[in-house]
Amino acid sequence: NGGAGAAGRPARAEGVEFRFGVDIHDLVTNQSRDRVIGVQTSQGVFEADEIVVALGSYSRPMLRSLGLD
């Protein structure tokens, strides 16, 4: 079912891809570091037009790497 159960169905219909069981190592930014363009993971880099950081208590440390608090 692509993960996220019934709650994820509308998002998948709009092209959202859910990745489960993948370790996130870093956020990938453009050269000027003013835009996140992807995610470095245990399965390689995934690039996207939009990134949602939904890591629970791990969100803040991940965003801190970009100077966000």
Side-chain angles (χ1 to χ4, degrees), residues 15-65:
V16 171
E17 292 182 36
F18 293 93
R19 303 288 177 150
F20 296 97
V22 178
D23 294 327
I24 298 171
H25 300 296
D26 204 358
L27 298 172
V28 179
T29 61
N30 61 2
Q31 285 187 328
S32 58
R33 293 190 51 84
D34 63 353
R35 180 166 164 69
V36 174
I37 60 171
V39 181
Q40 176 68 48
T41 76
S42 58
Q43 295 182 356
V45 174
F46 293 99
E47 293 186 356
D49 295 328
E50 297 180 35
I51 306 289
V52 176
V53 179
L55 304 172
S57 63
Y58 295 102
S59 293
R60 182 172 266 175
M62 181 65 64
L63 293 173
R64 238 184 242 132
S65 71

